[in-house]
Amino acid sequence: MDDFSNEGETTNTLDHIYESVDQLIESYSLHPLVLRNYYFEPLLKYSFYLPVGPTLFGHMIGNSTSPIHKAKEKKASERTIYCKFKGRTRYDYMIFKEGKQFWNSADDNEDHVRERRQLIMLSDADKLGGCVAEEANPPDLRTHDSSSERYDKYIQLLADTAFAPCPAGNNPETFRHYEALEVGAIPIIVRPKDDDKNFLNYGLWSQYPGPLLNSWDELGPFMKNLSSKDVDDMQAAVVKWYAEFKLDTKKRLLEKLLQVFNQNPDKKSTRIGVVPIEGTLKNEDENKQLKTVLKALIVTVKSLEARLLKVESELRLRGTT
């Protein structure tokens, strides 16, 4: 596995380090497994897509004292904030070209910038059916303020929000989708125009039971037709779907890891635990080293298999296998 975290995620190009998809494919092909955030259909064959999840997942979920563990159980109809978006409309991001770093600003005509501004304009004109959208750009666009204190406040507000509009950022799939889902808020999503980045086509996202719109113009009429019961029923469906979504993601990852561990590139064996040793190494020391590595990998595979069985058991209980 390799870390391509500097690759970045611009709207129109993958040029933070690589200037073309072909270059990415060439690089990905050098590795047995590449885990990649952000759905991008042309790269599915060469990498394993993992949902991006919340910004500070460990701080948010791993912190047992976090107030969200209780707040997220609150019914949507009982939440203080009915529907709200507050986020940036201006972006600066770093790109890499020819081995050098450059700062670049998102053009006002880029889809995600226009989409967010449209949402705010509709809110200002009171055309969102009670939903509010506000601009909130950081003083320095070249920094991403994800401090624990600021993030805690954001998550607490989100945990007291029924509906969370999730316009595209640098990608159609954003942290906000998963942060809302983690605290029981209902993400409102506009279908991505770029089919290559349409994560709604992938896996259980294709069965998402929450609001899916073609444009933000549809949000107002949608919100006006909802009763309190409709809202709570939709929240319950989304919460159930998200639990299944996470289990399915875990199952897919475990299966992929097992597949990678069990592959033998020289085709002398189908499982790593039975790779033929004799006659393949130059000396006994190398033989012993390889046996030690194999024993560790066999333990890893057995552990993965046990976890996969547990996940499959949970999925069967939920009736989703």
Side-chain angles (χ1 to χ4, degrees):
M1 292 184 290
D2 252 349
D3 180 6
F4 287 82
S5 57
N6 288 328
E7 173 196 318
E9 349 59 43
T10 64
T11 300
N12 296 319
T13 60
L14 293 167
D15 58 0
H16 274 46
I17 287 181
Y18 303 97
E19 297 179 26
S20 71
V21 173
D22 288 341
Q23 287 183 350
L24 273 173
I25 291 174
E26 181 180 357
S27 181
Y28 284 13
S29 299
L30 298 175
H31 306 276
L33 177 61
V34 174
L35 302 180
R36 175 188 167 83
N37 295 134
Y38 299 107
Y39 177 84
F40 190 59
E41 196 279 334
L43 294 176
L44 287 183
K45 181 180 177 181
Y46 308 94
S47 61
F48 183 86
Y49 160 66
L50 277 178
V52 66
T55 307
L56 296 179
F57 188 87
H59 174 73
M60 177 180 175
I61 307 303
N63 178 9
S64 61
T65 64
S66 174
I68 69 154
H69 293 289
K70 186 173 182 179
K72 67 181 181 181
E73 299 173 3
K74 192 174 184 179
K75 283 188 175 182
S77 62
E78 298 172 356
R79 299 191 175 202
T80 304
I81 304 169
Y82 184 51
C83 177
K84 186 170 184 178
F85 164 80
K86 188 173 184 178
R88 61 165 63 197
T89 58
R90 297 165 58 204
Y91 291 82
D92 275 11
Y93 48 81
M94 186 175 290
I95 62 173
F96 292 76
K97 286 189 176 181
E98 298 177 356
K100 297 181 180 179
Q101 299 180 5
F102 301 91
W103 281 101
N104 193 32
S105 297
D107 191 282
D108 287 351
N109 290 322
E110 290 188 16
D111 287 342
H112 63 296
V113 176
R114 287 191 289 108
E115 182 180 328
R116 291 185 170 218
R117 290 183 176 170
Q118 179 199 20
L119 181 61
I120 292 169
M121 289 174 61
L122 289 169
S123 174
D124 292 343
D126 196 23
K127 292 183 177 180
L128 292 182
C131 194
V132 176
E134 298 176 355
E135 184 178 47
N137 290 307
D140 183 357
L141 297 178
R142 300 182 182 188
T143 62
H144 178 67
D145 182 5
S146 57
S147 65
S148 297
E149 183 178 352
R150 180 178 179 272
Y151 196 69
D152 275 341
K153 184 177 180 181
Y154 159 65
I155 291 301
Q156 289 177 42
L157 288 172
L158 198 56
D160 201 23
T161 300
F163 287 97
C166 297
N170 284 331
N171 276 272
E173 178 190 13
T174 71
F175 296 122
R176 193 184 304 264
H177 291 82
Y178 300 97
E179 289 158 346
L181 289 165
E182 286 290 345
V183 296
I186 304 169
I188 302 175
I189 305 171
V190 168
R191 293 180 178 87
K193 296 177 181 178
D194 184 348
D195 208 45
D196 281 346
K197 296 184 178 182
N198 188 357
F199 61 98
L200 298 174
N201 290 334
Y202 191 84
L204 287 187
W205 265 118
S206 63
Q207 302 173 33
Y208 176 62
L212 292 176
L213 312 176
N214 293 311
S215 75
W216 291 112
D217 292 311
E218 298 179 356
L219 179 56
F222 170 81
M223 299 298 292
K224 288 180 179 178
N225 293 328
L226 292 175
S227 66
S228 294
K229 183 178 184 304
D230 291 335
V231 174
D232 287 340
D233 288 348
M234 184 178 297
Q235 181 196 37
V238 169
V239 167
K240 180 177 183 294
W241 169 86
Y242 187 52
E244 295 168 355
F245 176 87
K246 290 197 289 185
L247 276 174
D248 179 69
T249 299
K250 184 185 293 186
K251 179 184 177 183
R252 289 190 303 103
L253 177 58
L254 290 174
E255 288 176 340
K256 184 63 177 180
L257 288 172
L258 282 170
Q259 176 189 340
V260 171
F261 277 123
N262 288 333
Q263 282 176 342
N264 183 15
D266 61 9
K267 298 182 181 180
K268 293 180 181 177
S269 172
T270 57
R271 289 186 58 84
I272 202 164
V274 291
V275 174
I277 301 294
E278 296 180 0
T280 63
L281 300 175
K282 296 179 180 178
N283 55 55
E284 187 62 26
D285 287 339
E286 287 184 352
N287 197 331
K288 289 179 180 179
Q289 290 174 6
L290 181 56
K291 284 183 177 179
T292 301
V293 172
L294 287 176
K295 285 180 181 179
L297 288 174
I298 291 167
V299 171
T300 302
V301 170
K302 288 180 178 178
S303 174
L304 288 170
E305 287 174 334
R307 292 179 64 186
L308 180 56
L309 287 172
K310 183 179 178 182
V311 170
E312 289 177 335
S313 176
E314 292 181 53
L315 286 169
R316 278 195 294 271
L317 288 174
R318 294 173 181 270
T320 58
T321 52

